[in-house]
Amino acid sequence: MRISLSGIGRVVSTLLFLWVLTGFAAAGQTVDLDSLFRQAGDLQSEGNLQGAVETLVKVPPPAPGQDGEPFVRSRMQMARIQFSLKELDKAQATCRQVLALYPDNSEAKNFLASIEQERKSRLGAFIDDCLRFLPVLLKGALMTLLLVLCTMLISPLGGLFIALGRISHFRPLTAFCWLVIWLFRGTPLLLQLFFIYYGLPALGITFRPFTAAVIGLGLNYSAYLGEIIRGAIQSVDHGQMEAAKALGMTYRQAMRRIIIPQTYKRLMPPIGNEFIALIKDTALVSTIAMVELMRSADQMFNTYFNITALILAAIIYLVFTTVFTFIFEKIEYRAGIYEHR
Amino acid sequence: MNTAKQPLLELVGITKRFKQLTAVNGVNLVVNPGEKLVIIGPSGSGKSTLLRAVNFLEQIDDGIIRFEGREVGYLRKHGKLHLDRQQVICGLRAEIGMVFQHFHLFPHMTVLANVMEGPLTVQKKGQRAAQEIALEMLGKVGLLDKKEVYPATLSGGQKQRVAIARALAMKPKLMLFDEPTSALDPELVGEVFDTIHALADEGMTMVIVTHHMGFARELADRVIFMEAGSFVVEETPADFFSDQLGNERIRAFLNRLI
Ligand SMILES: Nc1ncnc2c1ncn2[C@@H]1O[C@H](COP(=O)(O)OP(=O)(O)O)[C@@H](O)[C@H]1O
Ligand SMILES: [Mg+2]
């Protein structure tokens, strides 16, 4: 009995304590808005802006009939901090909280307008950047395009030569073509470019950057296309060569008129692939003093430390690769028109 | 047989080896102008190899090929045969038409362009002259209406007729047919035979490898049975189909065909 009595007493005293405590806390909440503002001010001056926002957000919306001034003051202060943090969306939302309660609050309205202004000027800054970088980048892109076109002109011819050499019965030529393929497919393009531009002058052979770049890209891609073209030639039915010979054609005539034209369609997909890779590989020649698209973008980025330059370069590369992919698909279709029933 | 006439083609001791295997073993053959020869024999007996050797698509190891009385195609050095210069070989091939089992039409060219290709590229005729010849030959094989299409759209029989027209456009002196109907559906065999028959009636000299006995009986001046690289018999069709039924191997071969 005594135990149970003292137990009840303990429960009662605990409840009493809790009641007093929550009572104090509730009183503190309503009373201590000032200290919240003070605390937020301190945090703000310490540079802890996030902390200040977290404190200010504790100021509750006014109950009906209560003074809304502290709420409005807290939210506007919050909006300013968020604005300074470049969190424009959040600042805007905070202003709208005020306007939801007090649609005529001019301070919130004005601030909302100035956020809008800031938004616009950001876009303006982006457009300014674009206009500043584009001329330089397009000039670089033109050089990239020139390199691509030169290599596209040279490498199929070089590739055809290498392919025909590889399947010829003239041993020295076969060996030479094998060597070229082995060398240029087996070493990095970057190394080849370095060797041609920086290495050969040591042997008394000097090239201008553009020449060196075209030679490097041309040889490298000739080697790759050589193997592709050889495969395509050898995949043409043997009967075709026999029929051509039976008509009285020479090997050369048979190749030119009968065999090689039949490789065009099956050559297009792999060659298209190579040329897409080529568009991106031209970026490597920026290492041998060529100012093309990649180099231009890099220069802009390093001068202004502005990522817009890189984004624009990426877009230009994508435009190139997309257009070329489209063209190759068209050519492939045309080249295989005789297969359509 | 007109013995005063010089043979168009004469083969003496033609031998072709593939490593250990002797595919053609000392074959002798005389083909006079206007003659039609049919060669039959089991698969692997060397029929294709012999035809291909006549067109220099196979390089022989021994023997002599005479065309219009001249020994052609090979130079003998230290007792070994070497193929003559490409120009000479091409010139000879241009005079011999060849039709393959699998047609080998040029798929990237229209039917007309296929037939024009020989005159145009090999004989260096002009576009108009080549086209004129090609149209004439397409008319001969009855395919003028197909001249603008690509080979992929043709039936097997039509393809083979285009192939014949392509060979004929070179105005060859000799036509070689290597199983021209073996790749065809049975119902398409007739149109190709009719085409070859019409050609025979024009007096074309030809050597035909076929398994079609009715055709051999109807068309051939001589039927040759080949086995293991050699000619076993060489007779007129009448004799061949009556006498040789006594020859057990030939009878067995013929029975298997029927
Ligand atoms: N290019 C080749 N290489 C090796 N063996 C071959 C070659 N061509 C043909 N042969 C062989 O020569 C023999 C005769 O072949 P082929 O002339 O095609 O016979 P057929 O036409 O009478 O069926 C066959 O045993 C064949 O396997
Ligand atoms: Mg055969």
Side-chain angles (χ1 to χ4, degrees):
Chain A
M1 203 43 136
R2 265 165 69 188
I3 295 169
S4 74
L5 257 182
S6 71
I8 289 169
R10 214 175 288 166
V11 170
V12 169
S13 62
T14 310
L15 283 176
L16 202 67
F17 174 75
L18 279 176
W19 178 76
V20 170
L21 201 68
T22 45
F24 266 119
Q29 202 173 34
T30 42
V31 170
D32 254 13
L33 281 177
D34 283 343
S35 83
L36 269 183
F37 279 112
R38 218 177 309 120
Q39 200 183 334
D42 289 346
L43 285 168
Q44 197 175 347
S45 55
E46 281 168 24
N48 184 354
L49 300 180
Q50 217 62 55
V53 169
E54 278 160 22
T55 310
L56 285 168
V57 85
K58 287 182 189 152
V59 176
Q66 225 177 346
D67 179 19
E69 189 276 336
F71 174 73
V72 173
R73 185 151 49 96
S74 72
R75 289 310 186 267
M76 290 318 297
Q77 196 173 336
M78 234 170 95
R80 267 184 214 97
I81 296 173
Q82 287 166 330
F83 183 81
S84 70
L85 285 170
K86 303 214 177 207
E87 298 175 341
L88 297 190
D89 287 337
K90 286 185 184 168
Q92 226 163 5
T94 310
C95 284
R96 293 218 171 94
Q97 280 180 18
V98 173
L99 289 172
L101 288 178
Y102 308 101
D104 296 325
N105 186 301
S106 59
E107 192 188 0
K109 270 190 195 162
N110 289 341
F111 197 59
L112 206 53
S114 59
I115 294 173
E116 233 13 87
Q117 197 65 41
E118 169 67 13
R119 238 184 230 295
K120 280 208 193 97
S121 67
R122 264 199 204 183
L123 184 67
F126 177 73
I127 292 172
D128 282 350
D129 287 346
C130 288
L131 290 178
R132 184 157 33 136
F133 298 145
L134 262 183
V136 181
L137 291 178
L138 285 179
K139 212 170 143 214
L142 209 63
M143 180 50 80
T144 292
L145 192 64
L146 194 63
L147 281 167
V148 168
L149 291 179
C150 282
T151 313
M152 276 181 162
L153 216 65
I154 292 171
S155 58
L157 295 176
L160 182 62
F161 175 81
I162 290 173
L164 291 175
R166 282 270 279 155
I167 57 181
S168 88
H169 296 294
F170 184 54
R171 280 296 168 79
L173 185 62
T174 311
F176 171 76
C177 291
W178 181 88
L179 194 76
V180 170
I181 291 171
W182 177 73
L183 202 61
F184 285 92
R185 287 206 318 175
T187 55
L189 174 56
L190 190 59
L191 189 149
Q192 293 161 23
L193 290 170
F194 275 24
F195 185 82
I196 293 169
Y197 187 65
Y198 297 115
L200 287 184
L203 307 175
I205 308 169
T206 318
F207 294 114
R208 288 175 33 226
F210 182 79
T211 318
V214 169
I215 291 176
L217 288 170
L219 280 172
N220 190 267
Y221 275 84
S222 292
Y224 275 97
L225 295 195
E227 281 299 84
I228 292 172
I229 294 172
R230 180 178 66 93
I233 288 176
Q234 289 180 332
S235 76
V236 173
D237 177 20
H238 284 295
Q240 292 294 310
M241 181 53 99
E242 301 244 300
K245 281 183 175 172
L247 272 185
M249 286 193 202
T250 62
Y251 180 80
R252 183 192 278 265
Q253 286 171 332
M255 274 294 171
R256 192 168 53 81
R257 300 280 305 175
I258 308 300
I259 306 298
I260 291 170
Q262 289 186 52
T263 64
Y264 293 157
K265 185 195 157 68
R266 58 195 103 178
L267 275 178
M268 272 309 138
I271 287 191
N273 256 344
E274 290 299 323
F275 284 166
I276 297 299
L278 164 67
I279 292 171
K280 296 170 292 168
D281 269 356
T282 53
L284 289 175
V285 306
S286 60
T287 56
I288 56 167
M290 282 293 292
V291 182
E292 40 61 75
L293 180 51
M294 186 61 224
R295 179 66 168 273
S296 310
D298 191 38
Q299 282 173 348
M300 292 296 104
F301 183 65
N302 281 327
T303 310
Y304 299 99
F305 205 70
N306 188 327
I307 199 170
T308 307
L310 298 184
I311 293 172
L312 285 177
I315 291 172
I316 297 175
Y317 276 118
L318 280 171
V319 168
F320 280 173
T321 50
T322 309
V323 169
F324 276 104
T325 306
F326 179 77
I327 292 174
F328 286 128
E329 276 168 9
K330 279 271 170 283
I331 296 177
E332 183 193 344
Y333 178 81
R334 302 279 316 162
I337 210 116
Y338 58 84
E339 285 172 3
H340 308 303
R341 282 169 179 259
Chain B
M1 221 193 325
N2 186 353
T3 44
K5 245 186 192 169
Q6 163 181 275
L8 180 64
L9 176 73
E10 201 179 345
L11 305 180
V12 183
I14 301 296
T15 299
K16 171 66 188 176
R17 280 182 285 269
F18 295 110
K19 301 217 173 83
Q20 319 290 8
L21 177 89
T22 304
V24 176
N25 194 2
V27 163
N28 299 311
L29 179 68
V30 175
V31 185
N32 290 307
E35 258 194 320
K36 294 107 187 63
L37 260 59
V38 168
I39 302 178
I40 63 172
S43 173
S45 56
K47 307 180 297 296
S48 296
T49 307
L50 181 66
L51 279 200
R52 291 162 54 78
V54 170
N55 213 2
F56 309 97
L57 291 173
E58 297 290 0
Q59 195 171 339
I60 59 173
D61 296 300
D62 208 353
I64 295 172
I65 300 176
R66 288 204 190 91
F67 195 73
E68 299 184 305
R70 281 186 306 126
E71 190 176 332
V72 292
Y74 293 90
L75 307 169
R76 198 175 285 272
K77 258 186 261 165
H78 313 300
K80 265 192 81 178
L81 291 185
H82 295 270
L83 209 57
D84 208 337
R85 284 178 303 123
Q86 177 175 247
Q87 214 180 337
V88 174
I89 297 299
C90 288
L92 289 163
R93 283 179 182 146
E95 306 212 58
I96 302 173
M98 181 139 186
V99 174
F100 301 88
Q101 182 176 350
H102 295 287
F103 332 126
H104 301 324
L105 291 183
F106 305 135
H108 58 302
M109 297 179 174
T110 63
V111 163
L112 182 65
N114 262 274
V115 182
M116 285 171 64
E117 187 57 21
L120 212 55
T121 303
V122 179
Q123 294 175 330
K124 304 265 195 291
K125 285 196 159 69
Q127 194 78 20
R128 280 184 59 181
Q131 182 161 338
E132 205 168 294
I133 296 170
L135 290 175
E136 182 196 336
M137 297 307 157
L138 280 177
K140 216 175 249 190
V141 300
L143 284 172
L144 267 180
D145 55 327
K146 295 287 185 187
K147 65 181 162 120
E148 296 304 340
V149 307
Y150 285 99
T153 62
L154 298 178
S155 74
Q158 291 170 332
K159 282 181 190 168
Q160 195 59 298
R161 282 148 68 198
V162 173
I164 293 171
R166 180 178 66 181
L168 290 179
M170 292 293 291
K171 303 272 167 79
K173 292 174 176 154
L174 171 68
M175 284 288 288
L176 308 173
F177 294 86
D178 190 0
E179 302 198 30
T181 58
S182 294
L184 299 181
D185 293 335
E187 75 268 23
L188 300 177
V189 169
E191 61 185 78
V192 173
F193 274 157
D194 291 346
T195 306
I196 297 175
H197 221 299
L199 197 57
D201 291 344
E202 284 180 18
M204 175 64 77
T205 313
M206 36 202 201
V207 180
I208 307 167
V209 172
T210 182
H211 290 307
H212 210 278
M213 288 312 127
F215 189 57
R217 196 193 298 255
E218 216 176 293
L219 190 94
D221 295 315
R222 274 181 292 150
V223 177
I224 294 163
F225 184 78
M226 193 168 178
E227 191 174 48
S230 308
F231 288 178
V232 179
V233 280
E234 188 177 337
E235 285 185 320
T236 62
D239 290 343
F240 185 86
F241 289 106
S242 56
D243 301 359
Q244 293 304 329
L245 294 179
N247 181 322
E248 206 174 303
R249 295 208 304 278
I250 297 179
R251 196 178 53 216
F253 172 71
L254 292 179
N255 282 341
R256 238 178 298 127
L257 285 182
I258 302 159

